[in-house]
Amino acid sequence: MVRTASGVPELSPHPAPRVLPSDVLAAVADSRAPNTVRVQRGQWRRFEDWCRPRQLHSLGAAPADVAAYLVEASEAGRAVATIRSYAASIAAAHAAAGLPSPTADEVVKRTIAGLARRAVRHGVRQRQAAALTAEALAAIVATATIPRRSRGGALETPEGAALRAAVDVALVHVMRDALLRRSEAAALTWADVEHAGAGSSSGRLTLRSSKTDQEGGGAVLYLSQATMARLEAIRPEDASSAASVFRLGPQQLARRLAAAARAAGLGEGFTGHSARVGMARDLAAAGAELPELMQAGRWASSQMPARYTRRESASRSAVARYYGETAPRGR
């Protein structure tokens, strides 16, 4: 920092964004999942729109300005998880431009921590998707073929309801067995599905890449006999190996799952994440330990599966064992 003759600090000039070649920018974009890129772009535009009328720099942003933006977002009702996502998007934009991220500054870190503590004091918990458990799955299967009304009020024909139901049921089965994220389910092709072997009714699902596997190392996941039967029911006879299994985008897929849950009388709160939450809870109730859950759901950290399964974990805690009241392991 430079000081003038009067001793007043003179602000450093605004750092010029580093312009990266288009091929480098394309490679940077490809390092992240398409859905992540889409969300971060939208959140970055939101921050730019906030900065513009205030005549603030968005690129090369001052940490105090970022902190003020996050506080304002919190006061507007944004959840702590969303606040953290906003900060991550600002950091990503600065990284792509070759600039240091203002979110690494202590004032931004402490602001986010303070907003999280404030939410806890006020009894605000991070919203969790409703769990699509085995019981919820059974309810969806039992009601799937009931004709529904469109937004315009038209009632499905029995044939139309049967076709839609077959896809819905296959979708929830696959998403539960493989603990899929909605983007992962939307990306599946028929080449990714195969039977386990000669004489076997179960199957294997090859996941080419995922949120925690950006380099495409892939994973091979188990599909039950029931799930394979549901998939065979919707596979066209002339389907190519490259054809999409569900022919739905991530958002369409999430809407279908939520609609199926409502039609089954399960209420609101079901999202594209519900299958992961529900299967994690069922696995924990059956005795799966945290490392097994992390492997099944391809979680890089234990934080999320531990939060999803805290009720089941309490049933098998040291105190429960002390009283001899542990939940049975296995079904």
Side-chain angles (χ1 to χ4, degrees):
M1 181 180 288
V2 180
R3 290 187 177 274
T4 62
S6 63
V8 177
E10 184 179 88
L11 295 177
S12 299
H14 173 251
R18 179 180 169 193
V19 179
L20 299 177
S22 59
D23 56 344
V24 174
L25 289 173
V28 170
D30 286 343
S31 71
R32 295 168 291 162
N35 192 54
T36 300
V37 173
R38 179 185 60 79
V39 170
Q40 288 187 338
R41 282 176 178 168
Q43 292 180 344
W44 173 248
R45 286 195 294 269
R46 180 188 292 270
F47 180 59
E48 286 183 313
D49 292 343
W50 184 86
C51 289
R52 193 174 297 111
R54 295 169 175 79
Q55 297 185 330
L56 300 174
H57 295 298
S58 51
L59 269 181
D65 294 337
V66 174
Y69 171 69
L70 298 179
V71 169
E72 186 171 310
S74 175
E75 291 174 346
R78 299 289 185 267
V80 174
T82 303
I83 299 298
R84 292 194 175 105
S85 180
Y86 285 174
S89 296
I90 292 170
H94 281 75
L99 292 173
S101 173
T103 63
D105 191 274
E106 195 66 20
V107 69
V108 178
K109 292 180 179 179
R110 288 180 176 270
T111 296
I112 295 173
L115 294 174
R117 291 176 67 88
R118 181 184 296 175
V120 171
R121 284 200 306 270
H122 294 158
V124 178
R125 293 186 179 272
Q126 183 175 336
R127 289 187 294 272
Q128 178 175 303
L132 205 165
T133 59
E135 290 77 12
L137 173 64
I140 288 174
V141 171
T143 57
T145 58
I146 298 174
R148 303 176 196 165
R149 292 194 179 276
S150 67
R151 291 182 179 179
L155 186 66
E156 287 180 314
T157 64
E159 294 78 12
L163 290 172
R164 186 259 314 139
V167 174
D168 287 353
V169 170
L171 174 65
V172 292
H173 270 83
V174 171
M175 290 189 72
R176 269 182 49 84
D177 278 7
L179 284 85
L180 294 182
R181 301 172 176 90
R182 65 181 188 178
S183 58
E184 295 167 348
L188 292 179
T189 66
W190 287 113
D192 301 326
V193 180
E194 61 181 356
H195 281 281
S200 175
S201 297
S202 64
R204 300 294 181 266
L205 178 69
T206 300
L207 192 64
R208 306 294 173 181
S209 65
S210 67
K211 182 178 179 180
T212 53
D213 177 28
Q214 296 300 304
E215 295 182 2
V220 179
L221 309 171
Y222 176 86
L223 295 178
S224 69
Q225 178 179 344
T227 297
M228 289 299 291
R230 298 294 185 177
L231 283 170
E232 289 299 328
I234 67 167
R235 181 170 187 163
E237 292 183 4
D238 59 348
S240 70
S241 60
S244 170
V245 173
F246 297 112
R247 293 181 289 178
L248 296 168
Q251 292 184 340
Q252 293 173 309
L253 183 149
R255 286 196 293 268
R256 287 282 285 267
L257 193 152
R262 284 195 298 272
L266 299 174
E268 302 295 333
F270 286 81
T271 73
H273 219 63
S274 291
R276 283 170 66 76
V277 178
M279 192 58 160
R281 288 185 56 181
D282 285 343
L283 291 173
E289 302 292 348
L290 199 51
E292 295 174 294
L293 295 178
M294 290 175 63
Q295 181 182 31
R298 303 166 306 286
W299 280 287
S301 162
S302 63
Q303 180 181 1
M304 295 310 292
R307 186 163 72 85
Y308 294 155
T309 61
R310 57 195 175 201
R311 291 182 180 276
E312 289 75 18
S313 296
S315 300
R316 295 186 283 109
S317 66
V319 175
R321 289 197 303 272
Y322 173 78
Y323 285 109
E325 297 176 358
T326 54
R329 297 177 71 87
R331 291 181 180 273

